[in-house]
């Protein structure tokens, strides 16, 4: 089956989804969608320009009154149908995600796609639970209630590492709460975001509620963030770009949700299950070829286990199978592009000057050389303030450092600008409880690293941003809280009026 032909046919009308239909972009520039496993172009499309963003925002604004006015039950029913449509499309979504991103097909089939379907099913239920505080007479003379209302038109920007899941994380809570949305996926990975929108339309989501503009960040993205008719911006990406998004968003005093970079610590205490920690570290470091902002990137191992941990990780990394993403036996696919591969390689090459590359540290030769592949890499001997410890590499690279006391290990874990995710490994409940309290991150896993679930929030602290994706907590981002207060006395002249005019009656 020629996957390139299928993609070309599917998006022959263009890679913009506005007001319920595909169309071409109007920027005058084209973008190649490349298979990172082969370097071959699978689709060339016209990028969105500012006119396309304006059209998408206008469509979302037109759709807002009707969708915001739908009952929670009506929105819930549509989202249930959406989950069913995604289930029908599961095989195609997995194939498109692997083709566009180089993900091993087993990861797409068993993680990205089912996770996104589960998100849709969760928000179908959550749509019926948008409750405020129960009515009550808090002043004695009034009944107060809290309403949760949609923010309005949401402009969301998603990254290239998890295109389908990030579309789900952005779109589902927004529309479940009654908002309409314009999603800008990364221009190099638009395929599954567009397929996601098409599935929503088949499920009966009204035209204009969910729009997709596939364009470059500096024009389409910045125009979307600064658009005066966009009430909220949700951005997932690097901290550097997040700062730029925040600067633009403040110009129109938008609501802002930022999920930014990470440099997750993986803290192994000396009573940990060594085998579990080794397996967890390799899985946590290599998921999505390390292109995951929650990936395990800094392992701090208490000295009694340090040597055995390093040896175990090196041995296990050596068994990881690189190959064709569509081969079910492939463990590790390519990075998203040769540019990203070279960026990762640059970090490792510079590290050779001050640390030890224990295993990996190179691109494979032979048939895989045409793709953006890079071998799983383990580095030791780096200083805490070195580049590979402090900077987000976004590749299959794990750095391991020793520590002595528990105090030192936890201090090292917190010693970066980031605070997105972390894990701690120990059989001692008091040690793990302390780690959950003292590690400054939005998520702390105990004796595991990476699992996420729809019912629980995802989001960071410090330079990793603020706000939550997934779970009912995400409604805090996508709703306005309105206090409504009713007089219950029927008295014309209130006692408090005397503070403004006249005397006490």
């Amino acid at each position: 089956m020629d996957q390139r032909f299928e993609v070309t046919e599917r998006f022959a009308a263009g890679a913009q989804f506005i007001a319920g239909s595909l169309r071409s972009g109007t920027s005058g520039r084209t973008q190649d969608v490349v298979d990172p496993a082969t370097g071959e172009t699978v689709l060339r499309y016209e990028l969105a320009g500012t006119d396309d963003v304006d059209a998408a925002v206008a469509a979302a604004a037109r759709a807002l009154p009707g969708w915001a006015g739908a009952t929670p039950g009506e929105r819930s029913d549509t989202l249930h149908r959406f989950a069913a449509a995604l289930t029908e499309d599961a095989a195609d979504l997995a194939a498109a995600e692997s083709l566009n991103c180089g993900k091993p097909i087993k990861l797409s089939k068993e993680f990205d796609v089912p996770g996104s379907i589960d998100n849709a099913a969760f928000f179908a239920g959550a749509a019926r639970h948008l409750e405020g505080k129960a009515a009550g007479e808090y002043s004695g003379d009034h009944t107060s209630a809290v309403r949760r209302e949609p923010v309005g038109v949401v402009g969301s920007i998603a990254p290239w590492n998890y295109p389908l899941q990030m579309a789900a994380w952005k779109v589902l809570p927004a529309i479940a709460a009654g908002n309409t949305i314009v999603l800008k996926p990364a221009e190099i990975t638009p395929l599954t975001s567009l397929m996601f929108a098409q599935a929503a339309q088949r499920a009966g989501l009204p035209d204009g509620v969910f729009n997709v503009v596939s364009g470059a960040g500096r024009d389409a993205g910045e125009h979307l963030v600064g658009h005066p008719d966009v009430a909220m911006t949700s951005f997932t990406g690097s901290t550097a770009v997040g700062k730029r998004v925040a600067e633009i968003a403040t110009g129109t005093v938008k609501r802002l949700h930022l999920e930014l970079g990470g440099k997750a610590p993986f803290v192994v205490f000396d009573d940990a299950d060594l085998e579990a920690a080794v397996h967890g570290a390799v899985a946590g470091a290599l998921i999505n070829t390390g292109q995951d902002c929650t990936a395990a990137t800094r392992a701090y191992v208490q000295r009694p286990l340090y040597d055995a941990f390093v040896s175990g990780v090196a041995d296990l990394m050596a068994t990881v199978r690189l190959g064709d993403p569509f081969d079910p036996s492939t463990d590790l696919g390519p990075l998203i592009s040769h540019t990203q591969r070279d960026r990762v390689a640059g970090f490792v090459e510079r590290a050779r000057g001050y640390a030890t590359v224990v295993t990996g540290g190179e691109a494979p030769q032979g048939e895989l050389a045409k793709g953006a592949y890079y071998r799983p890499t383990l580095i030791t001997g780096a200083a805490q303030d070195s580049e590979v410890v402090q900077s987000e590499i976004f590749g299959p690279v794990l750095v391991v450092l020793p520590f002595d006391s528990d105090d030192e290990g936890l201090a090292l874990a917190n010693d970066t600008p980031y605070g997105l995710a972390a894990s701690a490994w120990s059989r001692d409940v008091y040690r793990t409880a302390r780690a959950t309290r003292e590690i400054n991150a939005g998520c702390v896993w105990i004796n595991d690293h990476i699992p996420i679930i729809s019912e629980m929030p995802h989001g960071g602290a410090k330079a990793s941003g603020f706000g939550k994706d997934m779970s009912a907590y995400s409604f805090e981002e996508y709703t306005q809280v309105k206090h409504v207060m009713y007089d219950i006395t029927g008295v014309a002249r209130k006692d408090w009026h005397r503070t403004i005019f006249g005397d006490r009656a």
Side-chain angles (χ1 to χ4, degrees), residues 95-167:
E97 197 78 336
S98 289
L99 180 67
N100 199 175
C101 303
K103 294 173 188 285
I105 192 67
K106 63 180 180 179
L107 182 66
S108 294
K109 283 184 174 180
E110 298 177 33
F111 184 76
D112 296 68
V113 173
S116 300
I117 294 170
D118 187 70
N119 282 173
F122 171 81
F123 280 106
R128 303 188 80 143
H129 295 279
L130 272 170
E131 298 176 350
K133 184 177 289 188
E137 287 70 49
Y138 299 98
S139 77
D141 292 336
H142 306 82
T143 295
S144 286
V146 170
R147 292 174 55 88
R148 283 193 178 273
E149 297 181 346
V151 173
V153 176
V154 177
S156 289
I157 299 177
W160 46 257
N161 57 334
Y162 289 102
L164 177 61
Q165 285 199 319
M166 294 301 98

Side-chain angles (χ1 to χ4, degrees), residues 59-390:
R62 288 193 302 271
L64 181 62
W67 185 245
T71 67
E74 289 168 339
R75 292 199 292 265
S76 176
D77 288 346
T78 302
L79 287 168
H80 277 299
R81 293 194 300 270
F82 189 9
L86 293 170
T87 301
E88 293 172 359
D89 290 351
D92 286 347
L93 287 165
E97 197 78 336
S98 289
L99 180 67
N100 199 175
C101 303
K103 294 173 188 285
I105 192 67
K106 63 180 180 179
L107 182 66
S108 294
K109 283 184 174 180
E110 298 177 33
F111 184 76
D112 296 68
V113 173
S116 300
I117 294 170
D118 187 70
N119 282 173
F122 171 81
F123 280 106
R128 303 188 80 143
H129 295 279
L130 272 170
E131 298 176 350
K133 184 177 289 188
E137 287 70 49
Y138 299 98
S139 77
D141 292 336
H142 306 82
T143 295
S144 286
V146 170
R147 292 174 55 88
R148 283 193 178 273
E149 297 181 346
V151 173
V153 176
V154 177
S156 289
I157 299 177
W160 46 257
N161 57 334
Y162 289 102
L164 177 61
Q165 285 199 319
M166 294 301 98
W169 289 15
K170 298 297 183 193
V171 171
L172 293 168
I175 63 175
N179 302 281
T180 57
I181 189 166
V182 178
L183 174 71
K184 194 203 86 64
E187 62 270 29
I188 61 174
T189 55
L191 302 185
T192 49
S193 295
L194 292 164
M195 294 167 69
F196 195 67
Q198 290 175 312
Q201 183 189 42
R202 290 205 326 271
L205 192 71
D207 292 349
V209 172
F210 174 15
N211 308 274
V212 179
V213 288
S214 305
R218 288 196 176 275
D219 39 37
E222 292 198 0
H223 190 63
L224 178 62
V225 174
H227 201 291
D229 295 331
V230 170
M232 173 185 168
T233 292
S234 177
F235 170 81
T236 296
S238 71
T239 298
V241 177
K243 291 178 181 178
R244 174 62 178 159
V245 168
E247 290 173 359
I248 299 170
T250 56
T252 51
V253 199
K254 286 178 172 35
R255 169 119 14 137
L256 188 60
H257 167 215
L258 299 175
E259 199 266 90
L260 306 178
K263 190 70 177 174
F266 186 102
V267 182
V268 182
F269 294 102
D270 58 14
D271 67 335
D273 181 327
L274 179 62
E275 182 183 13
V278 166
H279 282 78
V282 173
L286 300 185
I287 185 171
N288 203 36
T289 319
Q291 297 166 126
D292 186 312
C293 48
T294 63
T297 58
R298 301 178 287 139
Y300 297 102
V301 183
Q302 208 150 23
R303 210 168 291 275
L305 292 185
Y306 177 79
D307 289 340
F309 180 88
V310 170
S311 176
V313 168
D315 290 346
L316 190 55
M317 278 187 169
T319 70
V320 172
R321 298 163 296 187
L322 281 69
D324 177 3
F326 286 90
D327 184 338
S329 67
T330 292
D331 297 321
L332 196 74
L335 290 149
I336 190 65
S337 66
H338 286 82
T339 298
Q340 180 65 12
R341 193 269 314 272
D342 294 345
R343 179 180 179 276
V344 171
F347 276 101
V348 176
E349 291 308 307
R350 292 189 295 273
R352 294 183 192 276
Y354 56 81
T356 299
V357 178
V358 177
T359 190
E362 62 182 4
Q365 300 303 307
E367 184 66 18
L368 296 182
K370 62 186 178 183
Y373 290 88
Y374 198 77
R375 295 196 184 280
T377 299
L378 177 64
I379 296 175
T380 62
Q384 174 66 15
D385 62 355
S386 62
E387 180 186 47
V388 290
V389 175
Q390 294 292 324

